[in-house]
């Protein structure tokens, strides 16, 4: 795998195990990245306020602090990909984190090679895999998991948001019900009081921006349908 895209990129490593943090930092350095280590939540926020890392590697547990509920605070400071590193195998926590803005989860222990591969995959913004062109030069690259506007700017989608767009676009013109979408995007059944999918659609619409209000249309009493990106 070509590491050029990751060379020199700044990675904020938020980990309270000093030995593990040092090991991760050394591994990233070996692959040409520039790690910055923070061992507490407050230190992580200070680092984010002081600079703009290209990616955040975040331990789910910093002492007694569970960082998943705090993710919106971090997201307010950075649009960089956030990869959780955790020993917690509870699926519910991973789903919640993905729904509120996490980009990936890595279960401890993980090898240095897998860690670097995951980081590179999120940093990489060019090449790899055929792109599916949509009308008006919007481009949905499923292989690289990125969506770009006609002006070349990238829409900063989380993993769950991208999956939603990809699934809907795959079935463009066909209404998909909430249960199917929830199963495919969030990996669990839909319930009548479940607003997670609706909130996800709302966030995607906001990120797509003006002129895209009908790109993902609501089908009353059923679900959603992908129509098309706007022309021009």
């Amino acid at each position: 795998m070509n590491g050029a895209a990751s060379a020199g990129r700044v990675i904020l490593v938020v980990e309270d195990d000093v030995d593990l943090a040092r090991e991760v930092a050394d591994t990233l350095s070996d692959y040409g990245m520039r790690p910055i280590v923070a061992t507490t939540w407050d230190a992580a926020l200070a680092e984010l306020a002081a600079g703009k890392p290209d990616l955040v590697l975040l331990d789910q547990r910093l002492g007694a602090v569970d960082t998943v509920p705090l993710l919106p605070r971090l997201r307010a400071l950075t649009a960089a990909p956030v990869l959780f590193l955790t020993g917690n195998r509870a699926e519910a926590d991973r789903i919640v984190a993905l729904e509120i803005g996490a980009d990936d989860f890595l279960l401890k222990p993980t090898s240095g090679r897998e860690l670097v591969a995951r980081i590179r995959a999120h940093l990489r913004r060019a090449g790899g895999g055929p792109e599916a062109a949509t009308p008006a030069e919007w481009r949905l690259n499923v292989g690289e998991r990125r969506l770009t506007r006609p002006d070349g700017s990238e829409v900063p989608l989380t993993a769950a948001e991208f999956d939603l767009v990809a699934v809907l676009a795959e079935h463009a013109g066909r209404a998909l019900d909430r249960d199917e979408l929830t199963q495919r995007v969030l990996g669990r059944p839909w319930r009548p009081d479940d607003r997670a999918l609706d909130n996800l659609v709302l966030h995607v619409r906001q990120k797509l921006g003006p002129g895209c209000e009908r790109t993902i249309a609501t089908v009353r009493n059923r679900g959603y349908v992908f129509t098309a990106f706007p022309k021009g």
Side-chain angles (χ1 to χ4, degrees):
M1 183 182 295
N2 188 345
S6 60
R9 305 296 284 273
V10 177
I11 312 299
L12 176 59
V13 180
V14 187
E15 170 62 64
D16 63 346
D17 183 328
V18 176
D19 291 336
L20 178 57
R22 185 180 300 112
E23 179 182 340
V24 170
D26 289 344
T27 297
L28 299 183
S29 295
D30 289 343
Y31 282 87
M33 302 179 208
R34 293 165 46 202
I36 298 173
V37 174
T39 58
T40 67
W41 176 253
D42 288 341
L45 295 183
E47 291 291 351
L48 287 170
K52 295 183 178 179
D54 296 293
L55 181 142
V56 179
L57 185 64
L58 179 63
D59 188 7
Q60 184 182 350
R61 294 285 181 180
L62 297 174
V65 178
D66 182 354
T67 58
V68 169
L70 301 177
L71 184 57
R73 290 181 58 191
L74 188 149
R75 272 283 169 233
L77 295 174
T78 181
V82 177
L83 279 64
F84 272 91
L85 189 62
T86 180
N88 181 4
R89 296 180 179 274
E91 182 184 71
D93 283 355
R94 297 197 299 275
I95 290 173
V96 169
L98 291 170
E99 288 178 354
I100 64 176
D103 292 276
D104 207 348
F105 253 89
L106 291 168
L107 290 175
K108 298 179 182 178
T110 184
S111 70
R113 290 181 63 186
E114 181 183 2
L115 174 62
V116 170
R118 293 285 191 97
I119 290 174
R120 281 176 168 173
H122 286 282
L123 291 175
R124 198 166 54 241
R125 289 297 180 261
E131 294 191 350
T134 61
E137 302 175 349
W138 285 75
R139 300 184 74 82
L140 180 65
N141 185 328
V142 177
E144 288 297 316
R145 296 182 62 80
R146 67 189 181 109
L147 173 65
T148 53
R149 301 182 179 90
D151 65 3
S153 63
E154 185 169 345
V155 182
L157 300 174
T158 67
E161 290 166 355
F162 185 90
D163 288 343
L164 173 67
V165 174
V167 169
L168 285 168
E170 180 184 357
H171 302 282
R174 179 165 76 86
L176 300 181
D177 62 41
R178 286 179 170 82
D179 185 63
E180 180 178 357
L181 284 170
T182 302
Q183 289 278 9
R184 295 189 61 178
V185 176
L186 301 177
R188 57 176 169 79
W190 177 77
R191 303 180 305 274
D193 61 344
D194 189 349
R195 299 292 298 171
L197 180 69
D198 299 315
N199 289 334
L200 204 61
V201 171
L202 175 62
H203 294 158
V204 169
R205 286 170 172 166
Q206 291 172 340
K207 290 183 178 182
L208 292 178
C212 296
E213 292 81 3
R214 295 291 299 170
T215 295
I216 298 176
T218 301
V219 180
R220 187 174 177 83
N221 297 325
R222 184 171 182 187
Y224 298 95
V225 60
F226 181 91
T227 57
F229 290 112
K231 295 183 180 295

